[in-house]
Amino acid sequence: GNMVVKSLKSLLPFLPEDAIGVLICKKILRKVIPKVLSRSPSSVDNIQDVILLTELVVLLQQCLRHLDSENIVKNFFRTNSGSISDVLSSSMAWTLCGVTKDDDKSCCEKLLKEAGVLVCNMFQRIEKDQLNDTLLPLVESFCSLVNDSHLTNVLNQSVLPRDGHGRDELLSLPGVKETNDILHEALEVCEEEMLKRSCPSIADFLAFLNPQETDVHKI
Protein backbone atom coordinates (compact mmCIF):
# COMPACT_ATOMS: atom_id res chain seq x y z
CA GLY A 1 0.00 0.00 0.00
CA ASN A 2 2.91 2.26 0.79
CA MET A 3 3.99 3.24 -2.73
CA VAL A 4 0.39 3.84 -3.76
CA VAL A 5 -0.12 6.25 -0.87
CA LYS A 6 3.14 8.04 -1.70
CA SER A 7 2.27 8.46 -5.36
CA LEU A 8 -1.25 9.68 -4.53
CA LYS A 9 0.23 12.30 -2.20
CA SER A 10 2.44 13.64 -4.95
CA LEU A 11 -0.52 13.81 -7.35
CA LEU A 12 -2.80 15.82 -5.05
CA PRO A 13 -1.77 19.31 -6.22
CA PHE A 14 -2.53 18.36 -9.83
CA LEU A 15 -5.88 16.64 -9.39
CA PRO A 16 -9.23 18.41 -9.68
CA GLU A 17 -11.23 18.67 -6.48
CA ASP A 18 -13.84 16.17 -7.63
CA ALA A 19 -11.21 13.56 -8.37
CA ILE A 20 -9.63 13.95 -4.94
CA GLY A 21 -13.03 13.75 -3.25
CA VAL A 22 -14.51 10.87 -5.20
CA LEU A 23 -11.52 8.79 -6.28
CA ILE A 24 -9.38 9.13 -3.17
CA CYS A 25 -11.38 10.18 -0.09
CA LYS A 26 -14.59 8.35 -0.86
CA LYS A 27 -12.77 5.19 -1.88
CA ILE A 28 -10.57 5.16 1.23
CA LEU A 29 -13.50 5.85 3.56
CA ARG A 30 -16.02 3.56 1.93
CA LYS A 31 -13.90 0.61 0.81
CA VAL A 32 -10.37 0.50 2.15
CA ILE A 33 -10.76 1.51 5.80
CA PRO A 34 -13.78 -0.75 6.49
CA LYS A 35 -11.97 -3.66 4.86
CA VAL A 36 -8.81 -3.16 6.93
CA LEU A 37 -10.77 -2.62 10.16
CA SER A 38 -12.82 -5.76 9.62
CA ARG A 39 -9.61 -7.79 9.77
CA SER A 40 -8.80 -6.68 13.34
CA PRO A 41 -12.09 -6.14 15.14
CA SER A 42 -11.02 -6.21 18.76
CA SER A 43 -7.27 -6.48 18.83
CA VAL A 44 -4.54 -5.86 16.33
CA ASP A 45 -3.70 -9.05 14.47
CA ASN A 46 -1.33 -7.38 12.07
CA ILE A 47 0.53 -4.21 12.95
CA GLN A 48 0.97 -3.55 9.21
CA ASP A 49 -2.78 -2.83 9.12
CA VAL A 50 -2.32 -0.11 11.73
CA ILE A 51 0.57 1.38 9.78
CA LEU A 52 -1.48 1.34 6.58
CA LEU A 53 -4.46 2.98 8.32
CA THR A 54 -2.16 5.69 9.68
CA GLU A 55 -0.82 6.41 6.20
CA LEU A 56 -4.36 6.59 4.82
CA VAL A 57 -5.45 8.98 7.57
CA VAL A 58 -2.45 11.22 6.86
CA LEU A 59 -3.33 11.10 3.15
CA LEU A 60 -6.89 12.17 4.02
CA GLN A 61 -5.45 15.09 6.04
CA GLN A 62 -3.55 16.18 2.95
CA CYS A 63 -6.63 15.78 0.75
CA LEU A 64 -8.53 18.18 3.02
CA ARG A 65 -6.20 21.01 2.02
CA HIS A 66 -7.42 20.72 -1.55
CA LEU A 67 -11.15 20.45 -0.82
CA ASP A 68 -13.72 23.09 0.02
CA SER A 69 -16.34 22.65 2.71
CA GLU A 70 -19.01 21.33 0.34
CA ASN A 71 -16.71 18.67 -1.06
CA ILE A 72 -15.54 17.58 2.38
CA VAL A 73 -19.12 17.21 3.56
CA LYS A 74 -20.10 15.34 0.42
CA ASN A 75 -17.17 12.92 0.33
CA PHE A 76 -16.38 12.46 4.00
CA PHE A 77 -19.80 12.48 5.56
CA ARG A 78 -22.61 11.60 3.19
CA THR A 79 -22.93 7.81 3.27
CA ASN A 80 -19.56 6.97 4.80
CA SER A 81 -18.81 9.10 7.84
CA GLY A 82 -18.71 5.94 9.93
CA SER A 83 -15.16 5.20 8.84
CA ILE A 84 -13.54 8.08 10.71
CA SER A 85 -15.52 7.25 13.84
CA ASP A 86 -14.47 3.63 13.48
CA VAL A 87 -10.80 4.54 13.11
CA LEU A 88 -11.00 6.69 16.25
CA SER A 89 -12.76 4.04 18.29
CA SER A 90 -10.66 1.12 17.01
CA SER A 91 -7.33 2.87 17.52
CA MET A 92 -8.42 3.83 20.99
CA ALA A 93 -9.54 0.28 21.78
CA TRP A 94 -6.26 -1.12 20.46
CA THR A 95 -4.26 1.35 22.52
CA LEU A 96 -6.26 0.47 25.62
CA CYS A 97 -6.26 -3.28 25.15
CA GLY A 98 -2.61 -3.40 26.12
CA VAL A 99 -0.87 -4.34 22.89
CA THR A 100 2.01 -6.49 24.03
CA LYS A 101 4.95 -4.97 22.15
CA ASP A 102 5.89 -1.35 22.79
CA ASP A 103 6.45 -0.71 19.09
CA ASP A 104 2.94 -1.93 18.33
CA LYS A 105 1.53 0.23 21.07
CA SER A 106 3.23 3.33 19.73
CA CYS A 107 1.86 2.52 16.24
CA CYS A 108 -1.67 2.38 17.67
CA GLU A 109 -1.09 5.64 19.55
CA LYS A 110 0.15 7.29 16.36
CA LEU A 111 -2.97 6.19 14.49
CA LEU A 112 -5.17 7.62 17.26
CA LYS A 113 -3.19 10.88 17.20
CA GLU A 114 -3.42 11.25 13.40
CA ALA A 115 -7.14 10.46 13.40
CA GLY A 116 -7.55 13.22 16.02
CA VAL A 117 -5.56 15.62 13.84
CA LEU A 118 -7.81 14.77 10.87
CA VAL A 119 -10.88 15.78 12.90
CA CYS A 120 -9.14 18.96 14.13
CA ASN A 121 -8.32 19.89 10.53
CA MET A 122 -11.93 19.38 9.51
CA PHE A 123 -13.09 21.96 12.02
CA GLN A 124 -10.88 24.44 10.20
CA ARG A 125 -12.34 23.56 6.80
CA ILE A 126 -16.06 22.85 7.20
CA GLU A 127 -18.55 25.72 7.24
CA LYS A 128 -20.03 26.32 10.66
CA ASP A 129 -23.64 25.77 9.54
CA GLN A 130 -22.74 22.26 8.35
CA LEU A 131 -21.15 21.08 11.58
CA ASN A 132 -24.35 19.82 13.19
CA ASP A 133 -24.90 17.09 10.61
CA THR A 134 -21.26 16.19 10.12
CA LEU A 135 -18.53 16.67 12.69
CA LEU A 136 -20.50 17.21 15.87
CA PRO A 137 -22.13 13.74 15.95
CA LEU A 138 -18.68 12.23 15.32
CA VAL A 139 -17.15 14.25 18.17
CA GLU A 140 -20.04 13.35 20.47
CA SER A 141 -19.59 9.62 19.88
CA PHE A 142 -15.81 9.77 20.36
CA CYS A 143 -16.06 11.98 23.43
CA SER A 144 -18.63 9.64 24.94
CA LEU A 145 -16.29 6.70 24.32
CA VAL A 146 -13.41 8.53 25.99
CA ASN A 147 -15.63 9.40 28.95
CA ASP A 148 -16.80 5.80 29.28
CA SER A 149 -13.23 4.52 29.11
CA HIS A 150 -11.73 6.84 31.69
CA LEU A 151 -14.18 8.98 33.60
CA THR A 152 -15.64 6.31 35.80
CA ASN A 153 -12.22 4.92 36.76
CA VAL A 154 -10.78 8.28 37.52
CA LEU A 155 -13.82 9.45 39.43
CA ASN A 156 -13.84 6.24 41.47
CA GLN A 157 -10.28 6.94 42.49
CA SER A 158 -11.40 10.51 43.25
CA VAL A 159 -8.21 12.18 42.13
CA LEU A 160 -9.61 15.70 42.47
CA PRO A 161 -8.39 18.37 42.46
CA ARG A 162 -6.54 18.12 39.18
CA ASP A 163 -3.72 20.57 39.28
CA GLY A 164 -0.68 20.42 37.02
CA HIS A 165 0.63 16.95 37.71
CA GLY A 166 -2.72 15.16 37.91
CA ARG A 167 -3.83 16.88 34.75
CA ASP A 168 -0.77 15.77 32.78
CA GLU A 169 -1.51 12.26 33.89
CA LEU A 170 -5.08 12.55 32.61
CA LEU A 171 -3.92 13.98 29.30
CA SER A 172 -1.70 10.95 28.82
CA LEU A 173 -4.70 8.58 28.89
CA PRO A 174 -5.57 7.26 25.42
CA GLY A 175 -7.99 9.59 23.68
CA VAL A 176 -8.02 12.35 26.31
CA LYS A 177 -5.43 14.58 24.65
CA GLU A 178 -7.03 13.97 21.24
CA THR A 179 -10.45 14.95 22.58
CA ASN A 180 -8.99 18.02 24.25
CA ASP A 181 -7.28 19.09 20.99
CA ILE A 182 -10.47 18.50 19.00
CA LEU A 183 -12.46 20.62 21.47
CA HIS A 184 -9.90 23.40 21.15
CA GLU A 185 -10.55 23.51 17.41
CA ALA A 186 -14.30 23.19 17.90
CA LEU A 187 -14.32 26.14 20.30
CA GLU A 188 -12.58 28.27 17.68
CA VAL A 189 -15.69 27.99 15.50
CA CYS A 190 -18.58 27.15 17.85
CA GLU A 191 -19.89 28.82 20.96
CA GLU A 192 -19.30 26.70 24.01
CA GLU A 193 -23.02 26.54 24.86
CA MET A 194 -23.93 25.35 21.38
CA LEU A 195 -21.22 22.71 21.58
CA LYS A 196 -22.44 21.41 24.93
CA ARG A 197 -26.03 21.38 23.69
CA SER A 198 -25.14 19.39 20.57
CA CYS A 199 -22.70 17.12 22.38
CA PRO A 200 -23.68 16.43 26.00
CA SER A 201 -20.55 14.31 26.49
CA ILE A 202 -18.43 17.40 25.93
CA ALA A 203 -19.86 19.10 29.00
CA ASP A 204 -18.96 16.02 31.08
CA PHE A 205 -15.51 15.83 29.56
CA LEU A 206 -14.73 19.49 30.23
CA ALA A 207 -15.97 19.28 33.80
CA PHE A 208 -13.80 16.19 34.25
CA LEU A 209 -10.66 17.81 32.86
CA ASN A 210 -11.13 21.22 34.48
CA PRO A 211 -13.02 20.62 37.71
CA GLN A 212 -12.25 24.00 39.26
CA GLU A 213 -12.81 26.01 36.16
CA THR A 214 -16.02 27.30 34.81
CA ASP A 215 -14.32 28.88 31.84
CA VAL A 216 -13.16 26.49 29.14
CA HIS A 217 -10.84 28.96 27.50
CA LYS A 218 -8.30 28.50 30.23
CA ILE A 219 -7.58 25.01 28.88
Side-chain angles (χ1 to χ4, degrees), residues 30-46:
R30 196 181 274 185
K31 299 244 165 63
V32 187
I33 288 179
K35 189 174 172 189
V36 177
L37 285 174
S38 68
R39 296 200 288 246
S40 304
S42 53
S43 62
V44 182
D45 295 326
N46 179 359

Side-chain angles (χ1 to χ4, degrees), residues 15 22-24 29 32 48-49 69 83 95 106 131 135-136 150 184 200-201 209:
L15 291 174
V22 176
L23 300 178
I24 301 179
L29 290 162
V32 187
Q48 289 308 316
D49 282 350
S69 180
S83 293
T95 308
S106 73
L131 291 174
L135 268 180
L136 293 183
H150 303 306
H184 255 315
S201 299
L209 202 58

Side-chain angles (χ1 to χ4, degrees), residues 188-208:
E188 292 291 317
V189 285
C190 306
E191 293 74 35
E192 190 185 329
E193 286 317 307
M194 171 209 158
L195 207 56
K196 288 177 173 175
R197 255 201 320 280
S198 310
C199 310
S201 299
I202 287 179
D204 296 340
F205 177 85
L206 290 170
F208 153 65

Side-chain angles (χ1 to χ4, degrees), residues 46-195:
N46 179 359
I47 202 64
Q48 289 308 316
D49 282 350
V50 179
I51 293 166
L52 172 62
L53 285 170
T54 308
E55 287 178 352
L56 293 171
V57 167
V58 171
L59 176 60
L60 290 172
Q61 292 169 10
Q62 302 201 331
C63 290
L64 282 184
R65 295 177 198 161
H66 301 276
L67 299 175
D68 64 9
S69 180
E70 192 44 55
N71 265 300
I72 294 171
V73 169
K74 191 167 69 189
N75 294 299
F76 278 75
F77 289 97
R78 305 239 165 92
T79 71
N80 47 5
S81 64
S83 293
I84 300 169
S85 270
D86 292 344
V87 169
L88 282 165
S89 56
S90 296
S91 56
M92 179 149 152
W94 296 335
T95 308
L96 281 170
C97 76
V99 183
T100 40
K101 296 205 293 267
D102 279 352
D103 288 353
D104 291 2
K105 189 174 167 59
S106 73
C107 285
C108 296
E109 286 168 350
K110 185 169 178 1
L111 174 58
L112 180 56
K113 174 177 169 270
E114 295 298 352
V117 170
L118 178 65
V119 176
C120 287
N121 293 352
M122 283 190 194
F123 271 106
Q124 299 163 8
R125 309 281 306 173
I126 294 180
E127 298 288 340
K128 187 179 169 184
D129 59 356
Q130 297 188 303
L131 291 174
N132 261 329
D133 307 325
T134 55
L135 268 180
L136 293 183
L138 185 150
V139 171
E140 168 61 20
S141 78
F142 181 57
C143 193
S144 148
L145 181 73
V146 171
N147 289 353
D148 289 348
S149 305
H150 303 306
L151 266 178
T152 42
N153 292 344
V154 173
L155 293 178
N156 290 345
Q157 296 161 13
S158 62
V159 290
L160 301 166
R162 284 189 277 290
D163 44 19
H165 178 64
R167 199 162 185 286
D168 289 346
E169 216 168 295
L170 287 182
L171 284 170
S172 70
L173 295 169
V176 174
K177 184 179 185 310
E178 287 74 16
T179 305
N180 197 36
D181 291 345
I182 289 169
L183 294 188
H184 255 315
E185 289 301 334
L187 286 163
E188 292 291 317
V189 285
C190 306
E191 293 74 35
E192 190 185 329
E193 286 317 307
M194 171 209 158
L195 207 56

